[in-house]
Amino acid sequence: MKTEDDNADDTVLFHVEGRTAVVTLNRPRALNALTHPMVLRIDEALGAWEEDPAVHQVLIRGAGERGLCAGGDIRAIHDDAKAGTTASAEFWRDEYRLNARIARYPKPYVALMDGIVMGGGVGVSAHGGVRVVTERSRVAMPETGIGFVPDVGGTWLLGRAPGRLGTHLALTGAAVGAADALLCGLADHFVPAGRLPELTAALAGAPAHEVLPRYAATPPPGELAARRPWIDHCYAAGTVEEIVERLLADGDPAAKEAAETILAKSPTALKVTLAALRRATALGSLEEVLVQEFRVSCNALASPDLVEGIRAQVVDKDRDPRWSPSALADVTDADVEGHFAPLAGGDLSFG
């Protein structure tokens, strides 16, 4: 298999095996992070396969052994935000449209969510109709750690997780394994990683609903089910400050750890995330949520925390972001509301 160093056209590969069209994200050394050209090429291929009677289902997977996709190219977002240009907005516009296409795809869309599946990786997998996790899966929406807010339909997905599990994952950015991904509604089937080649080969000759029962198994135990009592209680609070107070008062070491994790994130991103999640649960469709997320994402480009968060995590890698404001109490309602403001360049639309 070629790598990303060969040429730009090889960053995502397409071929058809029997009845199944296969998408391979092919930037293994970058954990298959999505670029704008990759998004456009995937969307074009899905459009063509939708009309092709020889293609009965689609499979998406990642090259290499480390994961399906670690998200979007956040270094490019950092550079764009610093420069004040529009590349990120243009990328998100096409990426979110792709997320909506995947969710509404008329043929089975099988996502192999093996290894790391984060941010944009969730967007190209968890909206699919057949989502497979393995014992190596680590699924997360970690945006608050870079001064950003869950996007790619993440607030739609997390807002519909049982109880307050989605709020916990959104605020902490915690990665979950197979059992917890299944519990949260982010995946449908567990298949041992060693059997994925067999599964892929079998899908070439038969529909996913016939093939999966032969490979699906019981995942290793998760963590979240036993934590539901304190998660549901603490994250039901009205504000991020109250959530943290409840977590610290709970007495469970895991709750205290969650509070400490939250307090290390961008205060602005935390408050906007909580508001976005709660608004998403009141919206009636994924498309409506993606419109909201597009506003939030584009407005976040003007926030100092996005540039600072990516700097600290990816550019300088000092892991010491200096958030502004630095305290939850200093983030005003107006600061939060500004992230939901209409965009001068126009909202996201679906043709």
Side-chain angles (χ1 to χ4, degrees):
M1 182 177 286
K2 296 178 182 179
T3 72
E4 65 266 34
D5 292 328
D6 291 313
N7 62 68
D9 289 342
D10 288 332
T11 57
V12 57
L13 306 175
F14 306 98
H15 72 282
V16 177
E17 294 182 15
R19 63 190 295 132
T20 301
V22 181
V23 180
T24 304
L25 305 182
N26 192 42
R27 299 182 68 207
R29 288 193 290 180
L31 275 171
N32 300 319
L34 293 172
T35 63
H36 198 171
M38 291 169 70
V39 165
L40 293 173
R41 294 185 66 216
I42 294 168
D43 189 70
E44 181 182 15
L46 290 179
W49 290 331
E50 188 171 329
E51 304 299 327
D52 187 345
V55 171
H56 294 261
Q57 56 201 7
V58 173
L59 173 78
I60 188 167
R61 63 187 182 182
E65 299 295 320
R66 297 167 66 198
L68 170 66
C69 175
D73 187 343
I74 60 173
R75 185 183 284 268
I77 294 170
H78 168 274
D79 295 344
D80 182 49
K82 285 191 71 174
T85 47
T86 61
S88 295
E90 293 164 7
F91 168 60
W92 289 325
R93 192 182 295 275
D94 289 323
E95 183 183 25
Y96 299 176
R97 285 172 173 162
L98 174 61
N99 302 146
R101 178 192 281 276
I102 290 168
R104 304 288 182 252
Y105 205 63
K107 298 178 180 181
Y109 181 98
V110 184
L112 301 186
M113 300 171 69
D114 184 34
I116 292 173
V117 186
M118 296 184 178
V122 173
V124 296
S125 60
H127 295 299
V130 185
R131 305 161 303 173
V132 177
V133 284
T134 75
E135 72 279 4
R136 303 189 298 203
S137 295
R138 302 300 294 164
V139 184
M141 296 298 294
E143 287 76 9
T144 55
I146 57 166
F148 198 46
V149 178
D151 66 335
V152 299
T155 59
W156 169 264
L157 294 165
L158 295 177
R160 281 153 181 76
R164 305 290 176 167
L165 292 176
T167 308
H168 170 65
L169 297 183
L171 295 183
T172 63
V176 296
D180 289 333
L182 293 166
L183 173 63
C184 292
L186 300 172
D188 306 299
H189 306 278
F190 170 79
V191 174
R195 302 203 70 190
L196 291 183
E198 298 172 57
L199 171 63
T200 301
L203 287 169
H209 72 270
E210 293 181 6
V211 171
L212 260 300
R214 303 204 301 266
Y215 296 91
T218 301
E223 298 175 346
L224 293 181
R227 297 177 180 177
R228 279 287 302 276
W230 64 259
I231 287 176
D232 288 352
H233 168 70
C234 295
Y235 290 96
T239 67
V240 179
E241 290 94 328
E242 291 177 81
I243 289 171
V244 171
E245 288 174 8
R246 290 189 184 187
L247 289 169
L248 291 172
D250 182 81
D252 189 308
K256 182 175 184 291
E257 181 181 349
E260 292 169 348
T261 297
I262 290 170
L263 289 171
K265 310 298 184 184
S266 158
T268 300
L270 289 167
K271 288 199 170 184
V272 176
T273 293
L274 185 62
L277 267 178
R278 292 183 172 172
R279 294 183 189 205
T281 61
L283 295 173
S285 70
L286 170 62
E287 286 82 358
E288 290 177 273
V289 172
L290 286 167
V291 169
Q292 173 177 279
E293 290 181 351
F294 186 66
R295 287 187 179 186
V296 170
S297 296
C298 291
N299 286 319
L301 285 171
S303 166
D305 280 4
L306 179 56
V307 169
E308 173 62 11
I310 299 175
R311 179 207 65 76
Q313 297 297 330
V314 177
V315 180
D316 297 336
K317 300 182 180 179
D318 58 29
R319 308 291 192 267
D320 185 27
R322 294 166 177 81
W323 306 123
S324 179
S326 61
L328 287 165
D330 294 330
V331 180
T332 67
D333 291 344
D335 293 333
V336 174
E337 196 59 37
H339 283 74
F340 296 89
L343 303 170
D347 278 330
L348 177 66
S349 60
F350 302 90

